[in-house]
Amino acid sequence: MAMVLQSLSAEMLKLKHTLAFWLALVAPLSMVVLESGMWFDMNRRVAPPEVDSWLWYGQSIYVFWGLLIMPLFVTLETALVGQLEHAQEHWKHLYALPVPRGLIYGAKQFAGMFLIGVSCLALPFFTALGGLFLRWARPAVELTGPIPWFMLFKYSLAIYLGAWLIITIHTWISQRWKSFAVACTAGVLLTIAGVFVINADWGQYWPWAIAGIIGNKFDENVLQVAPLLVGSIGGVVMAFVAGWDVVRRDVL
Amino acid sequence: MDTTLITHDLTRRFGELTAVDALTLSVPRGAVYGFLGPNGAGKTTTIRLALGLIHPSAGEVLLFGQPLRRRRLELLRRVGALVEVPSLYPHLSGRDNLEVTRRLIDATKAQRDRALALVGLEDDADRLVKTFSMGMKQRLALALALMGEPELLILDEPTNGLDPAGIREIRELICKLPQEHGITIFLSSHLLAEIEQVATHIGIIQQGRLLFEGTLDALHAQNEPQLVLEVDKPQSAKEVLHAYGWKVRGNGGHSLTLAVNGAADVARINTQLVQGGVNIYHLNLQQPTLEDIFLAVTQA
């Protein structure tokens, strides 16, 4: 256990002064600023009469976050974390240390999950702040009710768990291939594909669409259990598969 | 003999290419083992095999008498390594770079600071590594390798990309480690002059095969000194020397070269030539350099 904690703390130290660390806060903030900007510009009630404005506002943010911004952000974060090692050929040094390879890879996996977790934790706070700003600056949007904190955190957590599968896939891609371009291109293409397949019958099982599908039911408060399980359990399974692949591979 | 690293018939193939071919070598404890070979000879592949970074196609690696394949983690605790380029995080300070590895290998902070002191970087430890010179980066990478207080230090081309001052710093450090800290050093390089100045033992590898292994003295002993002569009548000189049983090689012009056994041979040859009516302008006994020997071994 001590070895696990030491590996994690080493991984956290590597993130000091990195763009990856700051992006964890910038990404959700950007999402909220973008959506709030649109509501600010409309300057009228946006939600249908029967729906609470806060839920509609939250849903607008969470669906775009889950479907587009977060998958792209996962791509970028994991690619940046991978480049920490690729840029200076660190793998040879790390894997020549008396530390199990699986632990080193696991710590890397944890770093990606930690950064995305920070974003998902920050998202409800930024969403609330954006809503409060609109309530003050644009009363016409009618964000008058109480902030739905429980819903904001519940769906943020669900989106995060549903994203585990893509986090593990992109962690593996970014460790497996040295090229930053390969990691980014794969993420962009697979995310865009998610936008197109989301309405297909099997779309809810497309890893890059899962978080969007979960976010899309925010206003109805209907948790999409099947995609959530595919995303979270699939993420754990994929992490073991990726770890196995990394451990047995030659370090050239 | 007490050894730190042994390979038995170690072989590694990459498709059709055999990078390391039935390599059997032995690194005695306390030695500075210079692992020499031209680029592409298989030096780095051997080091990767020795550290368990890649798997052998055949053969085995023993560290401290035990098979690496079965006890990799336990054995790597006793080894420090610098493989090719220094693996550093430029956005972190020198101390933080060591701290990352310290946390991974569970070394103490005292060991970290001792490693910094050993490479003379205490005063610059809190600067970001991206502001370091190449020589400082190399020294920091050495500190990373030394932090776990290894018994065996494996260095792959540690002076690559360094200026003469940087090369000297690393050389001085390598020289003092076995003497002051009892560390065995396995040092790969294609820079012969560097190896000659620090190594006690030599292994020469080419096309994945070990061509020579032994002490530096043994290597020199295998290669006789050369006598270079300048004479007025080279053809007559050749005939005279052949008659006495010497093997003479013409260098063009008035110059001749022959292998001899020492100063006594030089005096004898001088007398024989003078008695044969040959005038000698110049007589020079040359000890072959490691470069001469290396070329002789690898081009044989």
Side-chain angles (χ1 to χ4, degrees), chain A residues 10-32:
Chain A
E11 205 56 46
M12 290 299 104
L13 180 57
K14 289 181 204 170
L15 292 174
K16 199 168 141 183
H17 307 310
T18 59
L19 179 64
F21 189 79
W22 290 109
L23 270 178
L25 296 175
V26 169
L29 183 62
S30 310
M31 180 66 243
V32 170

Side-chain angles (χ1 to χ4, degrees), chain A residues 14 16 85 92 95 250, chain B residues 12 72 84 89 91 96:
Chain A
K14 289 181 204 170
K16 199 168 141 183
E85 312 302 350
K92 282 176 285 191
Y95 287 148
D250 281 340
Chain B
R12 173 64 202 222
R72 186 174 160 271
E84 295 176 303
Y89 300 99
H91 63 285
D96 278 347

Side-chain angles (χ1 to χ4, degrees), chain A residues 6 9-10 13-14 16-18 84-85 88-90 92-93 95 98-101 248 250-252, chain B residues 12 14 48 52-55 72-73 76-77 84 87-89 91-92 96 99-101 103-104 106:
Chain A
Q6 282 155 4
S9 74
L13 180 57
K14 289 181 204 170
K16 199 168 141 183
H17 307 310
T18 59
L84 276 177
E85 312 302 350
Q88 302 281 324
E89 310 246 0
H90 280 278
K92 282 176 285 191
H93 170 69
Y95 287 148
V99 181
R101 283 190 186 188
R248 69 183 181 85
D250 281 340
V251 184
L252 296 171
Chain B
R12 173 64 202 222
F14 294 101
R48 287 178 180 166
L53 292 173
I54 58 176
H55 303 97
R72 186 174 160 271
L73 294 183
L76 286 180
R77 284 194 184 282
E84 295 176 303
S87 296
L88 304 169
Y89 300 99
H91 63 285
L92 297 180
D96 278 347
E99 182 63 20
V100 168
T101 298
R103 292 181 187 184
L104 283 170
D106 197 22

Side-chain angles (χ1 to χ4, degrees), chain B residues 5 35 44 62 121 132 155 172 178-179 181 217 237 253 258 266 274:
Chain B
L5 167 65
F35 193 45
T44 299
L62 300 179
L121 280 176
F132 277 22
L155 306 174
E172 286 170 355
Q179 292 159 9
H181 304 277
D217 291 341
L258 58 161
V266 178
V274 171

Side-chain angles (χ1 to χ4, degrees), chain B residues 64-210:
Chain B
F64 311 103
Q66 301 183 55
L68 177 70
R69 195 167 53 87
R70 272 183 248 146
R71 311 181 73 170
R72 186 174 160 271
L73 294 183
E74 183 190 325
L75 294 171
L76 286 180
R77 284 194 184 282
R78 300 163 70 183
V79 179
L82 195 175
V83 187
E84 295 176 303
V85 291
S87 296
L88 304 169
Y89 300 99
H91 63 285
L92 297 180
S93 69
R95 197 184 306 277
D96 278 347
N97 265 276
L98 289 189
E99 182 63 20
V100 168
T101 298
R102 186 194 75 76
R103 292 181 187 184
L104 283 170
I105 64 172
D106 197 22
T108 63
K109 288 188 176 172
Q111 283 176 304
R112 178 197 66 191
D113 294 339
R114 180 181 162 277
L116 276 171
L118 205 59
V119 299
L121 280 176
E122 313 102 301
D123 296 339
D124 296 296
D126 294 315
R127 271 172 54 193
L128 293 184
V129 164
K130 62 186 170 192
T131 66
F132 277 22
S133 69
M134 190 64 198
M136 290 167 77
K137 286 179 184 170
Q138 206 76 1
R139 278 192 283 151
L140 186 62
L142 263 178
L144 280 173
L146 289 167
M147 189 165 44
E149 299 180 4
E151 293 168 52
L152 171 65
L153 186 61
I154 296 179
L155 306 174
D156 186 14
E157 309 272 5
T159 54
N160 253 3
L162 297 184
D163 60 16
I167 290 174
R168 188 173 177 174
E169 283 174 5
I170 297 295
R171 185 171 63 223
E172 286 170 355
L173 199 56
I174 289 171
C175 283
K176 85 175 180 188
L177 289 173
Q179 292 159 9
E180 296 178 13
H181 304 277
I183 298 172
T184 304
I185 296 181
F186 183 84
L187 172 66
S188 122
S189 182
H190 62 275
L191 300 175
L192 306 175
E194 281 306 307
I195 293 283
E196 193 164 25
Q197 290 182 62
V198 298
T200 56
H201 292 68
I202 298 284
I204 297 178
I205 185 175
Q206 190 182 33
Q207 293 178 332
R209 290 180 161 272
L210 196 68

